[in-house]
Amino acid sequence: MSTARSIEDVEKLLADQRYVADRDLAVTIFLALALEKPLFLEGEAGVGKTEVAKVLAAGLRRRLIRLQCYEGLDVGHALYEWNYARQILHIRLAESRAKADDGADVEREIFSPSFLIKRPLLQAIEDDEGEPPVLLIDEIDRADEEFEAFLLEILSDFQVTVPEIGTFSAKRRPIVVLTSNRTREVHDALKRRCLYYWIDYPNVEREASIVTSKVPGVDARLAHEASAYVAALRSEPFFKVPGIAETIDWAAALVALGKTSLDEHTVAETIGCVLKYQEDVRRARDTNATARFEQSRRAARA
């Protein structure tokens, strides 16, 4: 499939890539593709936001270009920068054999496309071979507000000017997916340019379906019990509650141990697969452990 012409096509694409999703998400993705608008996905860490971009790239057979955001991210690392080491080497080679009036030629050469290092945003704009790529701008909430403002320009026109060379414009707009863990509010101006969707933690039944689709050989009972136990953990005030990725890792670990159902002893031994802070591990083992385990078993049987 190179494009999705209907909501049903998107649902099939997600299912083929083993991404379990609500129809609401399929509708939002379809509209983003049809209207050529960026898709803004927000939600807690580990609920599958980044995975949406990956399955779109795989399902539509597009190139995936990823820009991982972080504090201090600047234009040089997101858009382009000059290959200074190569420029200096070229200048020295030119000096060793050049005439005095060759200076202008050397300057033109070292500020040509062959000395330009294209970063993810420019790669996505310039990529005009075949179908447009999927551009994943991951965890935009980690970037500084100044970078957000710069991104507004890119998402409006999908073109950028390199003063020494000229303007690069996207012949066809890339499929853009932005994600945010909501560690801070992203500016409304950026959201207005996107279609928005909040990805929440799934209920036990849906998470068990995800685990079953992602973990080969997992017993259905084990998938339900592990999902119910993780759901119970999320209802308590842990420092960092587990995401879906942790549930999948835990289920895979339990399968590796030959388990087909949960027991309290195994939970205590393997809790480090889902909780990644010592304070949380200690709390899970020492506080309310039996009651939590029984609660999750009842929820799994419901």
Side-chain angles (χ1 to χ4, degrees):
M1 183 186 299
S2 61
T3 187
R5 302 184 187 282
S6 66
I7 297 168
E8 288 71 28
D9 279 354
V10 175
E11 288 181 308
K12 183 177 185 308
L13 182 154
L14 296 174
D16 288 347
Q17 298 299 317
R18 297 186 300 162
Y19 189 95
V20 181
D22 293 326
R23 180 176 168 84
D24 290 354
L25 176 57
V27 171
T28 307
I29 291 173
F30 169 72
L31 291 174
L33 296 175
L35 302 175
E36 296 188 341
K37 298 200 45 114
L39 176 63
F40 189 100
L41 300 175
E42 201 166 46
E44 301 291 341
V47 294
K49 302 182 296 296
T50 301
E51 194 68 12
V52 170
K54 292 179 179 177
V55 301
L56 281 178
L60 296 173
R61 297 194 288 275
R62 308 290 182 90
R63 178 187 176 199
L64 176 66
I65 299 174
R66 179 173 183 167
L67 174 62
Q68 177 62 54
C69 297
Y70 53 86
E71 186 177 355
L73 176 65
D74 58 18
V75 173
H77 288 89
L79 189 60
Y80 76 89
E81 63 182 330
W82 292 104
N83 189 334
Y84 294 119
R86 195 159 166 238
Q87 285 177 320
I88 291 172
L89 180 61
H90 186 80
I91 291 169
R92 287 178 177 169
L93 287 172
E95 286 174 344
S96 68
R97 62 172 187 261
K99 306 171 204 168
D101 56 359
D102 282 348
D105 292 337
V106 173
E107 184 175 346
R108 275 194 298 275
E109 289 170 4
I110 63 174
F111 287 108
S112 64
S114 58
F115 289 86
L116 194 67
I117 300 174
K118 297 168 185 170
R119 299 303 187 190
L121 293 180
L122 185 54
Q123 290 175 24
I125 289 172
E126 200 198 17
D127 192 331
D128 56 3
E129 294 183 5
E131 297 292 340
V134 174
L135 172 62
L136 168 63
I137 302 175
D138 211 8
E139 300 183 333
I140 182 63
D141 53 321
R142 287 190 175 192
D144 301 319
E145 293 185 8
E146 292 78 6
F147 182 75
E148 253 185 65
F150 162 73
L151 205 55
L152 284 176
E153 298 178 27
I154 297 292
L155 296 182
S156 294
D157 303 325
F158 287 93
Q159 70 175 30
V160 62
T161 298
V162 179
E164 298 86 349
I165 297 177
T167 299
F168 293 87
S169 300
K171 293 180 180 174
R172 295 177 62 188
R173 292 191 171 195
I175 298 169
V176 181
V177 179
L178 298 99
T179 74
S180 168
N181 294 333
R182 210 176 191 180
T183 56
R184 67 169 177 82
E185 287 296 331
V186 174
H187 200 280
D188 287 346
L190 183 59
K191 287 184 176 179
R192 277 198 297 274
R193 285 165 171 77
C194 308
L195 295 186
Y196 177 86
Y197 190 87
W198 172 269
I199 299 184
D200 209 345
Y201 290 122
N203 60 28
V204 172
E205 188 66 30
R206 183 173 295 278
E207 188 153 6
S209 297
I210 295 170
V211 170
T212 303
S213 70
K214 296 288 187 182
V215 181
V218 67
D219 188 275
R221 176 181 174 183
L222 179 62
H224 276 82
E225 290 180 350
S227 300
Y229 192 87
V230 170
L233 290 174
R234 289 177 188 144
S235 68
E236 298 183 40
F238 287 100
F239 179 71
K240 175 71 174 65
V241 295
I244 300 171
E246 281 77 20
T247 312
I248 293 170
D249 288 346
W250 191 30
L254 294 169
V255 170
L257 293 174
K259 300 295 179 182
T260 56
S261 65
L262 272 187
D263 60 77
E264 200 171 343
H265 178 70
T266 301
V267 170
E269 284 186 330
T270 59
I271 196 66
C273 294
V274 286
L275 297 174
K276 305 300 173 67
Y277 286 85
Q278 174 58 20
E279 296 82 358
D280 288 346
V281 170
R282 189 182 301 122
R283 176 191 171 93
R285 286 174 174 161
D286 298 344
T287 306
N288 206 28
T290 299
R292 185 186 308 111
F293 177 73
E294 293 300 329
Q295 174 195 342
S296 66
R297 294 199 76 171
R298 287 194 297 274
R301 288 195 293 267

